[in-house]
Amino acid sequence: MRIKVEELRAFCMDILTVTGMPEAEAEILTETLLQADQRGVKSHGVMSLKRYVNLMETGVMPKKLEYKVEVDNPVIAVWDGNRCCGQVLGHTAMKAAIEKAKTYGIGFVGVKNSNHFGAGAYYAKLAEAEGMIGISASTGDPTMAPWGGAEKQIGNNPLAISVPTKEALPVTLDMAQSVVAFGKIANMKRQGLKEVPEGWALDENGEPTTDIDKVYSVMPLGGYKGFGLSLMVDVLSGLLIGGGTGVRANPDQMGPAHTFMAIDTGAFGDTEEFKARMDARIAEFKSCRQATHSTGIYMPGELEELCYEKSKETADIIPEIVEDLNALAEEKGREVRLHEV
Amino acid sequence: MRIKVEELRAFCMDILTVTGMPEAEAEILTETLLQADQRGVKSHGVMSLKRYVNLMETGVMPKKLEYKVEVDNPVIAVWDGNRCCGQVLGHTAMKAAIEKAKTYGIGFVGVKNSNHFGAGAYYAKLAEAEGMIGISASTGDPTMAPWGGAEKQIGNNPLAISVPTKEALPVTLDMAQSVVAFGKIANMKRQGLKEVPEGWALDENGEPTTDIDKVYSVMPLGGYKGFGLSLMVDVLSGLLIGGGTGVRANPDQMGPAHTFMAIDTGAFGDTEEFKARMDARIAEFKSCRQATHSTGIYMPGELEELCYEKSKETADIIPEIVEDLNALAEEKGREVRLHEV
C-alpha cells in the first residue's frame, strides 16, 4: 500500500512529539524510519514506531537525549547513552565522528547503554554524504549460538559500511552476521510454511534443522567465520567501551552498544579521485559476464538505492502496519491518519 | 614430519640472506613463516619460502626495504611499498600504526604496491601483544566472481583481527571472504577426489558445481554478504589509497595493497579491565551447552594458539616441503639442510 512520505512524516512527528520527544529528536527518529521504508527495508521502517513509543511510555527509554562523555580526544570518544533513543544517539554520535575525521582522517565514537538503533545504513550514509566512508555496528539480543554450542549467546550484530561514489550509486553494505534474519523465519511461520532451507537454522540441541517448528537459533554466515565476525562486533562495539553484549544487550538490561566510525577519504588523497576509482571498480563488476541464472550484478545497497529513487514521494507500507498505526493514533486520541494514495 | 624450529630458522635465514636480503629483514620474513607453521597454518609457512626467493631473483620484489611515505599525520599514513617484501612492509607498517595509536587511540597505515604478505594474523598479533586490538587486511588475486557474475574479478581478501585477553588465550580471527580457500580445492584434486561439497564453488558459467573438474571460482561466504565484505576490503585496503584491487593486485601488476590498524584499548578505558571483560565473555561461551555433534566450542584462533603452544621447539612440516626446501638449498650451493627430529 503506497502512502505519501509527507503524510508518514507528519504522522510519526505527531505521535512522537505528543509522546514527549523534543521536536528536533523526533525529526531524527522519523527520518531514520522513513529512509528505511523508502529503501525497502521494512523491518526497520514505521513498523517500529509503536515499539519506540512503548519504550518511552514504559520509562525504559528517556524521551529527551542526555548522554555522558566518558572519553574524548580529537579522534575517539566514548559516550554513555543513558538508555536514550538509539537513533538520536546514533545520528549525534556519527555527526561527532564526522567532525573528528576532519582533523586526522579518522573519527570513532562508541556509545554504550543505548537502545535499538534501527537500520545501521542510516548512520554509515551520513558519512558517505560528506565524502567519507562511514561504518556503524551494534551489539544485539542473542539470536545465535557460539560455533559448536547449542544456546543463543550472541547477537547477529549488524555491520554497515557506506562508500561515496562519483556518478555511480553509493555503495552501502548493511548486513547481520547470520545467514538469515530471525524475523524472516518468524514471518514464514506466520504464513504457514513448514520448512526452512538447509543451512539457515539450528534446533535446541544445536543441530541443523529444516523443520520450522524446531528452529531455535539462526546460523552464522560461513559457519565459524560468521561467529568470529559477530564476536568482533561484540569486541569493537561492546567490550572495548564496557557496553552490553549477548543477553546484556537486551532492552531490559544494559541495552545494545554501538560503534560509529568516519574515514575521511580526503585525508588519504583526493576525494574526487577516490570517487572516480570507486566508479571504475563498480563499472568493472557491472561489465562482468553474468552467470547463466543471474538476475543481474548489483553492488551492496544498490537495490535499496533504486527503491529509494522510486519512493521519494510515496513509500510502500504493509497494509497491516497502516492499520496498526492508525489504531495507535486513535488510541492516543490523535487526529492524524495514514491513507492509501 | 617434525623439524626443530631453530633449524628451520637457521635454514630460512641462510637462504634469504644469501639471496641478498638484509639480515634484519630476513629475520622478519623468517619469523612470519615460522609462526604460520607453528600455528598450523601450513599454507603460509616455510612452504612459501621458494616463492619469495623467486620473486627476489626475478626482480619482481626488491631485496631491501624501501618505501615512500605519501601521507603522514599523528593517526594515519599511506605508504607506497615499491613492491618490496609484503612481510617486511607489513611488520614495519603495523609497528608504525601501533606507535600512532599511542597518541589518540587509533593508528591506521595503508600500504600499496606491495607483495603477498602471508598470514594476516601475524600483523594483527603484533598489536595484540601491546594490549591493542590489531586489524590487518589485504586485497588479493581474483578468486571470486561478483555476486551474479561468472568471471573471477575479486580476491578473497583476507581480514585478521586480534584481541588481547588476561588469562584466556588471545582471540585472533583470520579469515578470507570465500567459503573455502582455492588452494584447498587444488589439494583435493591432487589427492584424486572428484567432488567438492555443495556451496563451495562455481563453474565457468557462474553456476554452482560439485564436480571438481568444473570448479572455476570459489563462492563468497554467505553469498552476496561475502562479496560485500570482500568489496569493502577492496575499498579500505585498496581503493582508499590507490592500491591494486582485482587483477591489478596480481604480482605481475601493482601487487596487493594492505591495511594495518591498531586500536589502543587503553585510550578507551583501562586495558586490564578490557582484558578481564574479554576473559569473562570467553568464559561465557565456553560454558555454553554443546551441540549434540559438537567437537567443542573454540574461540577464533584458539586451535592455532594451542598448536603454537605445542610447536615451540619443533613444528610439523609436510615431508614434500622438506624435500623441496633441501633441494632448493642444494641448488643454491648452500650447506644448510632440514632433518626430521
Side-chain angles (χ1 to χ4, degrees), chain B residues 4-184:
Chain B
K4 275 195 185 144
V5 170
E6 286 319 308
E7 189 172 89
L8 284 164
R9 188 185 305 279
F11 186 96
C12 293
M13 285 300 294
D14 184 87
I15 299 292
L16 290 172
T17 50
V18 78
T19 305
M21 230 184 179
E23 194 163 323
E25 298 179 30
E27 276 170 6
I28 293 171
L29 177 49
T30 296
E31 181 56 29
T32 67
L33 299 175
L34 296 189
Q35 189 188 86
D37 278 319
Q38 288 174 289
R39 288 168 54 86
V41 186
K42 292 185 164 54
S43 54
H44 292 128
V46 293
M47 173 189 275
S48 304
L49 181 68
K50 199 173 173 176
R51 169 184 182 179
Y52 298 122
V53 168
N54 281 344
L55 283 172
M56 285 189 276
E57 287 181 338
T58 54
V60 172
M61 187 165 103
K63 294 166 182 172
K64 196 181 171 316
L65 179 65
E66 207 190 308
Y67 60 89
K68 205 174 83 193
V69 177
E70 291 194 349
V71 172
D72 194 79
N73 75 32
V75 179
I76 67 165
V78 178
W79 296 359
D80 181 326
N82 191 37
R83 301 305 313 279
C84 290
C85 175
Q87 282 83 347
V88 180
L89 280 166
H91 178 96
T92 313
M94 184 55 101
K95 289 283 187 185
I98 289 167
E99 278 312 304
K100 287 182 185 298
K102 290 176 183 167
T103 307
Y104 295 122
I106 293 182
F108 184 115
V109 178
V111 181
K112 62 186 172 186
N113 302 320
S114 179
N115 264 295
H116 188 256
F117 77 1
Y122 175 84
Y123 316 100
K125 283 177 69 66
L126 289 176
E128 175 265 306
E130 307 262 351
M132 298 187 181
I133 297 167
I135 304 177
S136 71
S138 182
T139 64
D141 295 12
T143 58
M144 303 196 297
W147 194 241
E151 297 170 88
K152 280 186 279 207
Q153 288 195 327
I154 189 164
N156 58 13
N157 293 359
L159 167 72
I161 307 179
S162 188
V163 188
T165 47
K166 207 177 183 86
E167 305 288 337
L169 291 169
V171 175
T172 306
L173 178 72
D174 185 1
M175 57 176 268
Q177 314 308 324
S178 53
V179 173
V180 67
F182 213 97
K184 190 164 183 172

Side-chain angles (χ1 to χ4, degrees), chain B residues 224-243:
Chain B
Y224 67 93
K225 292 186 180 185
F227 168 61
L229 285 170
S230 224
L231 177 55
M232 289 307 167
V233 174
D234 261 10
V235 169
L236 293 165
S237 288
L239 299 166
L240 178 63
I241 61 171

Side-chain angles (χ1 to χ4, degrees), chain A residues 318-334:
Chain A
I318 300 167
E320 286 76 13
I321 301 301
V322 174
E323 236 171 79
D324 285 357
L325 288 170
N326 282 337
L328 175 68
E330 188 161 352
E331 193 184 300
K332 291 180 85 76
R334 303 303 299 169

Side-chain angles (χ1 to χ4, degrees), chain A residues 70-81:
Chain A
E70 291 194 348
V71 172
D72 193 79
N73 75 32
V75 179
I76 67 164
V78 178
W79 295 359
D80 181 326

Side-chain angles (χ1 to χ4, degrees), chain A residues 239-301:
Chain A
L239 299 166
L240 178 62
I241 60 171
T245 58
V247 287
R248 291 168 298 281
N250 281 337
D252 59 352
Q253 295 200 30
M254 297 170 76
H258 323 302
T259 287
F260 303 98
M261 190 168 168
I263 299 175
D264 185 6
T265 57
F268 291 82
D270 182 79
T271 295
E272 290 311 305
E273 284 175 20
F274 169 77
K275 288 179 174 178
R277 286 195 293 270
M278 276 304 293
D279 278 16
R281 187 73 172 121
I282 293 166
E284 200 166 36
F285 290 128
K286 290 281 183 182
S287 75
C288 183
R289 181 165 54 83
Q290 288 193 20
T292 309
H293 293 99
S294 174
T295 53
I297 296 169
Y298 297 100
M299 295 304 105

